[in-house]
Amino acid sequence: MSRFFHGDSSSESSSDEEELYSGEEEAAAAEAQGADEKSSEEEEDSEEESESEDEDKAKSGANKFLKSDDEESEESSDEERPTLVKSAKDKRFEELEATIRSIENAEKINDWAHIASEFDKLNRQVVKLAQAGTMPKVYIKAISDLEDFMNETIAKQKVSTKKMNATNSRGLNAVKQRIKRNNKDYTKDIERYREDKNAFMESDDDEPAAPVEKKKKPAQPLDLDEAVGDDEGFSTVGRGGKALQYTSESILKHLRSIIESRGKKNTDRAEQIRVMEKLGEVASTPYQNIRVLLALVSTRFDLTSGSASYMTQEQWKLAEQEFGQLLELLRANPEMVVLENAEEWEDDEKQPVPAPGEMLRIPGSIVSFVERLDDELTRSLQHIDPHTVEYIDRLVEEGALYTDIVRAMLYVEHLKNNPKLEVSQDILNRVVMRRLEHVYFKPAQVVAILEENTWKAIPAALDSAITPRDTVKSPDLVRTLCTYLYQHSENFIRARAMLCHIYYLALHDQYYRARDMMLMSHLQETINNFDIHTQILFNRTLVQVGLCAFRAGLVYDAQVSLQEICGSGRQKELLAQGVMIQRYSQVSPEQERLERQRQLPFHMHINLELLECVYLTCSMLLEIPLLAQTGSSPDIKKRVISKTYRRMLEYHERQMFTGPPENTRDHVMQASKALAAGEWKRATEFIHSIKVWELMAKSTKIKEMLSSQIQEEGLRTYLFTYAPFYDTLSVASLAEMFELSERKVAAVISKMISHEELAAALDQVNSAIIFRKGVELSRLQSLALTLSDKASNLIESNERALEQRTQGTANAFDRNAQQGGGGRGGRGGRGGRSEGRGGQGHNPGGRRPGGFQFTGGALGNRPSVRT
């Protein structure tokens, strides 16, 4: 053996070490070792002899023959104490009794944390004793007394004002859960003990232990016909190499083990699904089938727990079919109901039997299954390329999902009608909202077809009080669902229902109803308090209202509705139709992941190119006349309707060479340039050549509306631009120039005069326009007015900044503020000026700086200049 690893018994190490030495070295080492051992033995013998000699010297004379007190006590104790040899069973029994005493002591001080740990220890100890074939009666007594004490403690805790601390409360809950499950195996023994405690403890008959019988069963020869196997004779093998048997009696036990393993690591969910499919085959009662289907659908959803993946089409279809089977079972067995607030059945040995006239409540959630099916289908549509056939195949499954939603709604509605079940109204609101979210963005024709197919798949005996079967023939399905949610829901669901209703109205060209509902809801004031999904729905509704106004020919209303969304340059992000990755944005991966989860499927998108085209066209029809008006009337304060459009127009004008238009933006910019030059026909051609108009319903009618709008705005632009050069202008010539009727021209001019946009009068006798001439401003006067406006704006901004810094004490350092005159004049904060600059008084009739004011157009209300 190696001298470096002396005492090692492994053969490998000794063999490796022996190879290091030759035979002679081993012999020498052995001799040296023997010599050392002999020397050590001699030393020990000499030490013992010296000790005995010392003792003999100490006990000299008579003392040598007398015994000491220590020797007498040792001998007497050895004689009195018999030698006991305890068996392993007795030792374990003593350990069991010690644990029971510890539990009893903990009960005296109400230490439930210690009781919980000792109870676990007690159950571990009794397993070894139970293997001998008998169950200790002290154990039956201990668990029975502990259960009684636990019930007393719980009863006291309900009426007591003083609560347990957190540690004791957790221990009590742990004991409560474990003792119920544990005492089921010893129900008969516990009942015998409680009937007569003394007789039970004094009886000599041994009770067979329950675990022993369970362990003897697998030892019997297994018949292959009874085991669940495949066609080739193979059977499923569990832990320990024993074949598993799936019978109708063991279904609840297998389901409990599967449910308890949910969420744990290294759990094979695919194997659990296969086991539950076999359990469904051997299930013999409706209760067992319902329990198996509830667990099976939940486990299928667990296959895609991560947010980055989605449920496969095969698994989704299987889950949808099993959900349909579950609803059919519940319809065929009305005495069984699935409720979220139902208590779980604890006894796996027998099935619950409902009392006469009562319903059997099974814990579960039908609405949650529907919501999860909907979410999984939406997630798959988010990940699939929308331009492939696979996307169409998945989209077809929306019909089956909508049928499941309607059937779930009918089932929850049936439960809600039974007051004994106490079904929450929120559950019914959730499923109604899911149904509404599947129809609000679809045309009425599509909704009618979808409803018709759905009611064909539903048994004729089922009907709904909220949406009867004949509702499919009416276009008021969305209104019916929304009205129900208005009456029975609050806050979040009510707001979403109202937005869906407005969207549906705007989609079907009912602009004024949609606008009035949007204004009366006041959602634009409180939308920031809702979640992001509701804000996205609000943005979609606002855009749809703007498109509806455009189709109705209301250019100004359309531009105002679309301004907030289209003017931001973030249409994709605000409408949840794409993720915009900006160059210098600091977006974490978690935020980007959440943003992608909020994206809408492709079939729910609003065409962004069409949206941009409508917005730019409306901006052109409003901005070009305004630019002509401010260009010819320098006293009018310049205002901007659309900064986005102005920026594009300025960029287009800076281009040295502009080729033929290629996209929507180029068409609108060149049409704007032609309209500003008075070439309304050319502008119309550019607008009509945009191909995106074909995506709108009734595109021919839209183009005709655009032609009439361009003619009117061309007339307005012409009058704003060339009014200073005319004294009178014939209405007939304008009608001929813009191919409008004289009545239409007269109406446009009258409107401009009434709004003080044009300084003129309409001579209806001679059918002519008489322009009012004023004093023409020189270049110097125009520049002076511009400088005055800029100086006034600068004063206002300085006062605003000073007030913000001094927090309302703007006159704290003004020495002349109390005197009210001289110098810069006394200013009382932003509240107005007591005197003007240099001590001049305020002239109420003079020109007011800032703000927009109508000044009579090109030539009206000009300041008179005396020469």
Side-chain angles (χ1 to χ4, degrees):
M1 185 177 290
S2 171
R3 55 187 175 183
F4 298 105
F5 300 93
H6 184 70
D8 190 3
S9 61
S10 61
S11 60
E12 295 180 0
S13 60
S14 61
S15 62
D16 294 339
E17 291 160 2
E18 287 172 0
E19 291 178 358
L20 298 175
Y21 301 99
S22 61
E24 297 177 356
E25 291 175 347
E26 289 178 358
E31 291 176 0
Q33 186 175 357
D36 294 338
E37 291 176 355
K38 290 179 180 179
S39 60
S40 60
E41 291 175 358
E42 292 174 359
E43 290 176 0
E44 291 176 358
D45 295 339
S46 61
E47 288 177 0
E48 291 176 358
E49 291 176 358
S50 61
E51 289 177 359
S52 61
E53 290 175 359
D54 295 338
E55 290 177 358
D56 293 340
K57 290 179 182 179
K59 295 180 182 180
S60 57
N63 293 331
K64 184 176 181 181
F65 302 97
L66 297 176
K67 293 182 178 179
S68 64
D69 296 336
D70 295 337
E71 291 176 353
E72 288 180 356
S73 62
E74 289 178 359
E75 290 180 1
S76 62
S77 62
D78 291 341
E79 292 175 357
E80 294 175 0
R81 182 176 60 198
T83 303
L84 297 177
V85 180
K86 295 182 180 180
S87 64
K89 180 180 178 180
D90 295 338
K91 292 180 180 179
R92 290 169 184 165
F93 195 82
E94 289 181 359
E95 292 176 357
L96 185 71
E97 290 180 338
T99 305
I100 293 174
R101 286 194 298 271
S102 177
I103 292 177
E104 292 174 351
N105 293 334
E107 289 176 357
K108 295 177 182 178
I109 59 175
N110 207 24
D111 187 0
W112 284 100
H114 183 71
I115 292 174
S117 61
E118 291 297 311
F119 182 68
D120 292 341
K121 181 180 177 182
L122 181 69
N123 289 329
R124 290 194 299 269
Q125 292 172 347
V126 80
V127 171
K128 298 178 181 179
L129 288 171
Q131 291 176 356
T134 58
M135 179 59 62
K137 294 180 181 179
V138 291
Y139 175 75
I140 301 297
K141 175 180 179 298
I143 60 176
S144 177
D145 294 344
L146 179 59
E147 185 177 8
D148 295 340
F149 181 72
M150 179 195 70
N151 294 330
E152 292 176 4
T153 305
I154 294 174
K156 291 179 182 178
Q157 197 65 25
K158 289 181 179 179
V159 297
S160 175
T161 57
K162 186 178 180 181
K163 295 184 178 180
M164 284 186 178
N165 56 33
T167 306
N168 269 354
S169 179
R170 284 195 297 268
L172 178 60
N173 292 332
V175 173
K176 179 181 177 182
Q177 293 175 0
R178 295 168 190 166
I179 202 168
K180 286 184 178 180
R181 193 181 305 115
N182 181 74
N183 288 10
K184 288 178 184 178
D185 298 332
Y186 313 105
T187 306
K188 296 180 180 179
D189 296 337
I190 293 175
E191 290 176 356
R192 288 178 54 203
Y193 169 75
R194 288 175 177 171
E195 288 175 0
D196 192 349
K197 298 182 180 181
N198 296 329
F200 178 81
M201 298 302 295
E202 291 175 0
S203 61
D204 296 332
D205 54 338
D206 295 332
E207 298 295 333
V212 177
E213 296 180 2
K214 296 179 181 177
K215 292 199 172 185
K216 287 182 179 179
K217 287 182 180 178
Q220 298 175 358
L222 179 65
D223 189 3
L224 292 176
D225 296 335
E226 297 178 359
V228 177
D230 54 13
D231 297 336
E232 299 180 359
F234 294 100
S235 59
T236 306
V237 177
R239 293 183 178 179
K242 300 174 182 178
L244 297 178
Q245 291 184 347
Y246 301 118
T247 60
S248 59
E249 292 79 11
S250 63
I251 285 179
L252 299 181
K253 292 183 180 179
H254 288 295
L255 286 178
R256 180 174 296 278
S257 63
I258 291 174
I259 293 173
E260 290 178 353
S261 65
R262 286 186 66 186
K264 295 182 180 179
K265 293 182 179 180
N266 302 326
T267 301
D268 190 355
R269 297 187 179 92
E271 178 62 27
Q272 289 182 346
I273 290 174
R274 287 192 290 270
V275 170
M276 283 187 285
E277 288 175 348
K278 295 177 181 178
L279 293 177
E281 295 174 0
V282 300
S284 58
T285 62
Y287 176 78
Q288 292 177 348
N289 282 317
I290 292 173
R291 287 287 303 272
V292 170
L293 288 173
L294 286 171
L296 183 56
V297 175
S298 301
T299 308
R300 289 196 190 278
F301 289 143
D302 291 343
L303 290 175
T304 55
S305 58
S307 59
S309 60
Y310 61 91
M311 205 169 181
T312 61
Q313 186 175 8
E314 180 185 1
Q315 290 294 334
W316 190 91
K317 284 185 176 181
L318 291 173
E320 190 272 333
Q321 292 173 3
E322 289 156 0
F323 179 73
Q325 296 174 9
L326 176 62
L327 292 177
E328 190 63 29
L329 275 172
L330 293 173
R331 185 186 69 83
N333 300 275
E335 71 279 1
M336 299 181 185
V337 293
V338 176
L339 297 175
E340 294 182 3
N341 56 358
E343 295 184 0
E344 187 175 357
W345 181 254
E346 298 288 344
D347 191 357
D348 297 338
E349 298 292 337
K350 60 181 180 178
Q351 297 183 15
V353 178
E358 293 186 1
M359 292 186 175
L360 178 59
R361 305 187 182 192
I362 304 173
S365 178
I366 298 296
V367 179
S368 298
F369 283 166
V370 170
E371 291 176 339
R372 187 63 187 273
L373 283 171
D374 191 9
D375 294 340
E376 290 295 340
L377 182 61
T378 302
R379 189 183 300 177
S380 65
L381 293 175
Q382 288 175 348
H383 287 80
I384 298 173
D385 185 2
H387 305 290
T388 59
V389 180
E390 184 183 1
Y391 188 90
I392 304 299
D393 293 340
R394 293 310 303 268
L395 191 58
V396 170
E397 296 168 358
E398 187 183 9
L401 174 62
Y402 186 75
T403 303
D404 291 336
I405 292 175
V406 175
R407 292 201 62 179
M409 175 180 163
L410 296 177
Y411 181 73
V412 178
E413 188 178 350
H414 169 70
L415 297 181
K416 188 72 174 65
N417 294 332
N418 191 345
K420 295 181 180 179
L421 298 178
E422 299 179 355
V423 178
S424 173
Q425 180 65 42
D426 182 63
I427 298 176
L428 184 55
N429 292 341
R430 282 161 53 195
V431 68
V432 172
M433 191 67 224
R434 286 282 175 169
R435 183 178 180 184
L436 179 61
E437 288 177 348
H438 275 270
V439 297
Y440 81 93
F441 62 92
K442 296 175 181 176
Q445 299 84 352
V446 178
V447 174
I449 296 173
L450 183 63
E451 283 287 312
E452 184 178 358
N453 295 334
T454 298
W455 286 107
K456 285 181 181 178
I458 295 176
L462 297 178
D463 201 359
S464 172
I466 302 174
T467 57
R469 282 179 178 266
D470 55 354
T471 310
V472 64
K473 302 177 182 179
S474 172
D476 296 335
L477 173 64
V478 173
R479 181 181 61 81
T480 304
L481 294 174
C482 293
T483 303
Y484 180 83
L485 292 176
Y486 296 157
Q487 296 173 353
H488 298 89
S489 63
E490 296 178 358
N491 299 332
F492 167 72
I493 294 182
R494 179 181 294 179
R496 290 188 66 86
M498 186 166 292
L499 290 173
C500 291
H501 197 180
I502 296 170
Y503 189 103
Y504 186 80
L505 292 174
L507 186 65
H508 293 82
D509 294 331
Q510 301 182 36
Y511 169 72
Y512 291 104
R513 288 185 61 190
R515 182 199 64 182
D516 294 343
M517 285 189 64
M518 178 69 82
L519 294 176
M520 288 188 298
S521 66
H522 297 285
L523 286 173
Q524 60 272 17
E525 301 171 3
T526 60
I527 192 61
N528 292 327
N529 299 330
F530 291 92
D531 62 323
I532 296 180
H533 293 281
T534 307
Q535 295 180 20
I536 291 171
L537 180 58
F538 176 81
N539 295 338
R540 286 167 52 80
T541 305
L542 192 62
V543 165
Q544 198 60 245
V545 170
L547 293 176
C548 180
F550 177 77
R551 291 192 297 268
L554 305 173
V555 175
Y556 178 76
D557 295 339
Q559 202 277 338
V560 171
S561 298
L562 299 177
Q563 172 66 37
E564 188 174 359
I565 304 297
C566 299
S568 64
R570 300 165 52 221
Q571 295 93 319
K572 282 187 178 181
E573 183 179 353
L574 295 176
L575 298 176
Q577 296 182 188
V579 180
M580 299 181 64
I581 306 300
Q582 300 179 359
R583 181 178 299 177
Y584 300 107
S585 64
Q586 296 179 354
V587 180
S588 63
E590 180 68 17
Q591 292 175 342
E592 184 178 351
R593 183 181 62 82
L594 293 176
E595 187 70 24
R596 293 189 183 279
Q597 287 180 5
R598 289 192 284 263
Q599 300 304 302
L600 294 174
F602 183 76
H603 68 281
M604 297 178 64
H605 285 192
I606 298 173
N607 194 308
L608 296 180
E609 187 179 359
L610 176 62
L611 186 63
E612 183 186 23
C613 182
V614 171
Y615 173 70
L616 292 179
T617 303
C618 294
S619 300
M620 177 193 74
L621 296 174
L622 296 175
E623 285 281 6
I624 295 301
L626 182 63
L627 287 172
Q629 183 182 8
T630 55
S632 61
S633 302
D635 60 330
I636 297 178
K637 183 180 179 181
K638 295 182 179 180
R639 64 188 181 96
V640 178
I641 296 177
S642 173
K643 292 182 179 180
T644 306
Y645 174 81
R646 286 283 183 96
R647 197 179 303 114
M648 293 181 184
L649 189 60
E650 291 173 0
Y651 177 77
H652 183 76
E653 289 177 351
R654 288 198 301 267
Q655 299 298 317
M656 296 298 297
F657 172 76
T658 54
E662 297 179 355
N663 52 27
T664 302
R665 189 175 301 177
D666 292 344
H667 280 86
V668 177
M669 291 300 108
Q670 294 206 13
S672 303
K673 194 173 180 180
L675 185 61
E679 300 176 358
W680 65 271
K681 289 185 178 180
R682 192 158 174 261
T684 304
E685 291 177 358
F686 280 123
I687 295 298
H688 285 186
S689 60
I690 300 175
K691 297 180 180 180
V692 77
W693 299 123
E694 303 298 331
L695 298 177
M696 299 185 73
K698 302 178 182 178
S699 58
T700 305
K701 185 179 178 181
I702 297 295
K703 291 181 180 179
E704 292 176 358
M705 181 269 295
L706 289 173
S707 298
S708 63
Q709 291 284 346
I710 291 173
Q711 286 174 322
E712 292 181 19
E713 298 303 327
L715 174 60
R716 285 165 47 83
T717 305
Y718 182 83
L719 291 175
F720 282 138
T721 305
Y722 298 105
F725 305 100
Y726 286 99
D727 290 331
T728 60
L729 186 60
S730 172
V731 174
S733 62
L734 287 175
E736 183 181 358
M737 185 183 303
F738 291 96
E739 297 181 2
L740 294 171
S741 63
E742 293 185 9
R743 185 176 180 180
K744 184 67 175 177
V745 172
V748 172
I749 294 172
S750 300
K751 188 176 181 180
M752 294 174 67
I753 293 172
S754 65
H755 289 174
E756 297 183 358
E757 295 176 346
L758 187 63
L762 183 62
D763 186 358
Q764 295 181 351
V765 177
N766 298 322
S767 186
I769 308 171
I770 302 173
F771 294 96
R772 291 200 307 243
K773 287 291 182 179
V775 178
E776 292 290 337
L777 293 178
S778 65
R779 178 68 175 169
L780 180 60
Q781 292 170 339
S782 299
L783 293 174
L785 287 174
T786 304
L787 179 61
S788 174
D789 290 339
K790 291 184 178 180
S792 299
N793 293 334
L794 183 61
I795 290 171
E796 292 292 335
S797 62
N798 285 342
E799 288 180 353
R800 200 175 296 115
L802 180 62
E803 184 176 353
Q804 290 177 355
R805 288 201 173 191
T806 57
Q807 297 181 354
T809 58
N811 298 328
F813 304 101
D814 191 354
R815 296 179 180 178
N816 299 325
Q818 303 297 331
Q819 300 176 5
R824 295 175 57 88
R827 289 197 297 272
R830 292 190 63 194
R833 285 173 254 176
S834 60
E835 293 185 1
R837 288 181 174 274
Q840 297 177 357
H842 178 63
N843 183 14
R847 189 172 182 278
R848 292 175 295 172
F852 177 73
Q853 55 191 1
F854 293 104
T855 58
L859 302 177
N861 197 19
R862 292 184 181 277
S864 59
V865 180
R866 297 180 181 179
T867 56

